[in-house]
């Protein structure tokens, strides 16, 4: 990723917000029940450490991810915390009737006022066979995402589109739930800009598209009742430990997870290993580098330097941190180190 020379306005880590993206990993030898306990524990710590929001992601047919019923897990996390924002990173809208999502998030916002975010994506979050099992007769391929988005927004605010006024989302109607568009390419970046919505980019698995998508979002941005200026949050894998060597060891769990996806053999999150190179072909090394090569792995000082460089490149308004770490205590420690890095004065 090259620095865009036009993107320089002197932002520093201690003056942007930082958040958590949690896939609620299922560990080898563990269960979904264990994952949800760990998720809530991490959320409670994240709230204490100053994280701004805690997002959970919709994935299906994935043995290593427990957050498929995303709205339910959001409710679990929100009920166990008190101030941190909780939301979806994201809900894959083509998998659902917009009315159902309006009702679910209307319910969440009614239960936890002022704390719920609705991040939306247009990918299936799974393979095509599972997508069919989810969607059935609707057969949506994501191309009708703008229309689905219009319908969803109209359930919250019927003034936006009169054709949906005969169907009401209760609860949901009249509630001010922030809607974000999520993306790993330029499609949602441009749409978010045109609609004046906040945008979150998945740099944690699509690093090569990051700067182009952010530039497109900012160039396309039209002020709205929601935002007067663009607001971009960028996802990044960060695995921190006391030493670079320890962090690199912990990061092999994430690397194995992606490797198994490449091999069409998704698995629970595996324990770290001493030498990943023994498991990889040259082609697989190239694939791993293209997907997660921009991950930030290291000691507190290494993480600080690389996060600041990433901020210089992206000029993000907020970063959302993902960390697929097998040992829960090590995962907590990583997020604690990251919070300290963001809070340090220059």
């Amino acid at each position: 990723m090259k620095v865009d020379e036009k993107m320089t306005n002197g932002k520093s880590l201690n003056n942007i917000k930082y958040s958590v993206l949690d896939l609620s990993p299922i560990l080898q030898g563990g269960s979904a029940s264990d994952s949800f306990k760990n998720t809530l524990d991490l959320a409670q710590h994240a709230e204490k450490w100053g994280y701004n929001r805690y997002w959970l992601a919709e994935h299906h047919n994935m043995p290593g991810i427990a957050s498929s019923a995303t709205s339910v897990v959001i409710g679990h996390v929100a009920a166990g915390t008190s101030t941190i924002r909780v939301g979806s990173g994201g809900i894959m809208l083509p998998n659902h009737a917009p009315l159902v999502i309006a009702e679910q998030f209307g319910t969440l916002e009614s239960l936890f006022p002022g704390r719920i975010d609705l991040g939306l994506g247009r990918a299936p979050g799974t393979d095509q066979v599972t997508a069919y099992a989810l969607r059935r007769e609707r057969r949506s391929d994501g191309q009708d995402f703008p229309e689905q988005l219009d319908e969803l927004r109209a359930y919250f605010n019927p003034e936006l589109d009169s054709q949906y006024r005969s169907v009401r989302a209760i609860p949901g109607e009249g509630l001010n739930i922030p809607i974000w568009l999520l993306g790993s390419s330029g499609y949602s970046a441009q749409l978010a800009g045109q609609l004046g919505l906040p945008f979150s980019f998945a740099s944690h698995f699509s690093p090569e598209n990051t700067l182009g998508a952010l530039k497109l979002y900012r160039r396309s941005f039209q002020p709205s009742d929601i935002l007067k200026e663009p607001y971009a949050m960028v996802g990044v894998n960060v695995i921190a430990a006391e030493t670079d060597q320890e962090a690199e060891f912990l990061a092999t769990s994430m690397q194995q997870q992606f490797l198994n996806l490449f091999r069409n053999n998704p698995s629970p999150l595996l324990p770290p290993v001493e030498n990943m190179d023994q498991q990889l072909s040259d082609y697989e090394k190239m694939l791993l580098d293209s997907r997660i090569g921009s991950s930030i792995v290291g000691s507190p000082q290494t993480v600080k330097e690389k996060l600041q460089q990433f901020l210089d490149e992206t000029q993000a308004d907020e970063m959302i941190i993902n960390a697929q770490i097998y040992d829960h205590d090590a995962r907590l420690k990583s997020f604690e180190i990251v919070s300290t890095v963001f809070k340090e004065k220059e």
Side-chain angles (χ1 to χ4, degrees):
M1 188 185 298
K2 296 181 180 179
V3 177
D4 186 332
E5 293 179 357
K6 294 181 181 178
M7 289 189 183
T8 54
N9 64 2
K11 285 187 178 180
S12 62
L13 295 174
N14 61 27
N15 61 23
I16 70 165
K17 294 178 179 178
Y18 53 101
S19 295
V20 176
L21 175 63
D22 182 14
L23 304 184
S24 200
I26 300 174
L27 309 180
Q28 182 183 62
S31 67
S33 179
D34 298 329
S35 300
F36 296 139
K37 291 175 183 175
N38 289 341
T39 281
L40 182 57
D41 188 46
L42 175 57
Q44 291 168 339
H45 280 85
E47 183 173 74
K48 178 178 67 176
W49 292 329
Y51 284 87
N52 183 44
R53 63 186 93 241
Y54 195 100
W55 278 10
L56 295 132
E58 177 187 348
H59 292 275
H60 300 278
N61 196 27
M62 299 287 284
I65 297 176
S67 53
S68 55
T70 315
S71 301
V72 179
V73 187
I74 289 171
H76 173 63
V77 171
T81 53
S82 58
T83 58
I84 195 168
R85 298 193 64 87
V86 189
S88 57
I91 291 289
M92 301 298 108
L93 189 55
N95 293 343
H96 310 277
L99 177 61
V100 172
I101 299 304
E103 291 171 340
Q104 289 178 356
F105 278 78
T107 299
L108 288 167
E109 176 65 19
S110 298
L111 289 168
F112 310 103
R115 295 182 56 208
I116 301 300
D117 295 326
L118 176 49
L120 299 168
R122 70 183 186 101
T126 189
D127 59 86
Q128 291 303 312
V129 174
T130 308
Y132 174 73
L134 286 163
R135 300 174 184 184
R136 293 301 171 116
E137 291 80 8
R138 297 190 60 250
R139 301 183 184 277
S140 172
D141 60 0
Q143 293 304 308
D144 60 347
F145 180 74
E147 291 77 18
Q148 282 193 292
L149 177 61
D150 288 345
E151 181 181 347
L152 174 61
R153 296 180 74 197
Y155 289 132
F156 293 126
N157 180 6
E159 298 302 317
L160 292 174
D161 196 328
S162 60
Q163 68 174 306
Y164 299 110
R165 288 181 187 172
S166 61
V167 179
R168 302 173 65 187
I170 301 172
E173 185 176 287
L175 296 180
N176 182 22
I177 302 169
I179 290 179
W180 293 66
L181 296 195
L182 281 55
S184 57
S185 64
Y187 183 96
S188 291
Q190 185 170 24
L191 183 60
Q194 291 169 344
L195 295 175
L197 295 174
F199 176 60
S200 181
F201 187 80
S203 187
H204 57 293
F205 66 81
S206 186
E208 72 280 5
N209 294 323
T210 303
L211 294 185
L214 292 175
K215 185 181 293 184
L216 181 59
Y217 169 61
R218 291 167 176 140
R219 186 170 66 236
S220 304
F221 187 83
Q222 299 293 322
S224 68
D225 292 340
I226 308 298
L227 286 177
K228 300 307 178 188
E229 297 180 346
Y231 190 94
M233 179 165 66
V234 182
V236 56
N237 299 310
V238 183
I239 295 178
E242 291 301 328
T243 65
D244 288 347
Q245 184 177 18
E246 182 186 356
E248 288 163 3
F249 174 66
L250 295 175
T252 61
S253 293
M254 173 182 65
Q255 293 164 1
Q256 291 177 88
Q257 186 176 52
F258 273 88
L259 177 62
N260 285 333
L261 285 176
F262 297 151
R263 293 173 174 175
N264 198 28
N265 182 34
S267 68
L269 191 65
L270 300 174
V273 295
E274 290 293 343
N275 192 340
M276 271 297 295
D277 289 342
Q278 295 176 352
Q279 301 187 33
L280 297 169
S281 68
D282 290 341
Y283 177 66
E284 287 170 337
K285 288 178 184 177
M286 182 186 70
L287 285 176
L288 273 182
D289 187 62
S290 69
R291 293 295 293 275
I292 57 173
S294 64
S295 299
I296 294 173
V297 178
S299 66
Q301 186 59 38
T302 298
V303 166
K304 182 177 182 179
E305 291 171 0
K306 290 185 176 181
L307 276 175
Q308 183 61 56
Q309 180 183 359
F310 187 66
L311 179 59
D312 292 341
E313 293 170 348
T314 62
Q315 290 300 299
D317 300 291
E318 187 168 344
M319 290 188 196
I320 187 163
I321 309 300
N322 179 50
Q324 294 290 84
I325 298 174
Y326 182 82
D327 181 81
H328 182 60
D329 288 337
R331 193 170 187 234
L332 289 177
K333 182 63 176 177
S334 178
F335 276 102
E336 183 179 17
I337 289 171
V338 170
S339 73
T340 301
V341 165
F342 273 101
K343 288 183 285 192
E344 283 179 353
K345 299 296 183 184
E346 294 299 317

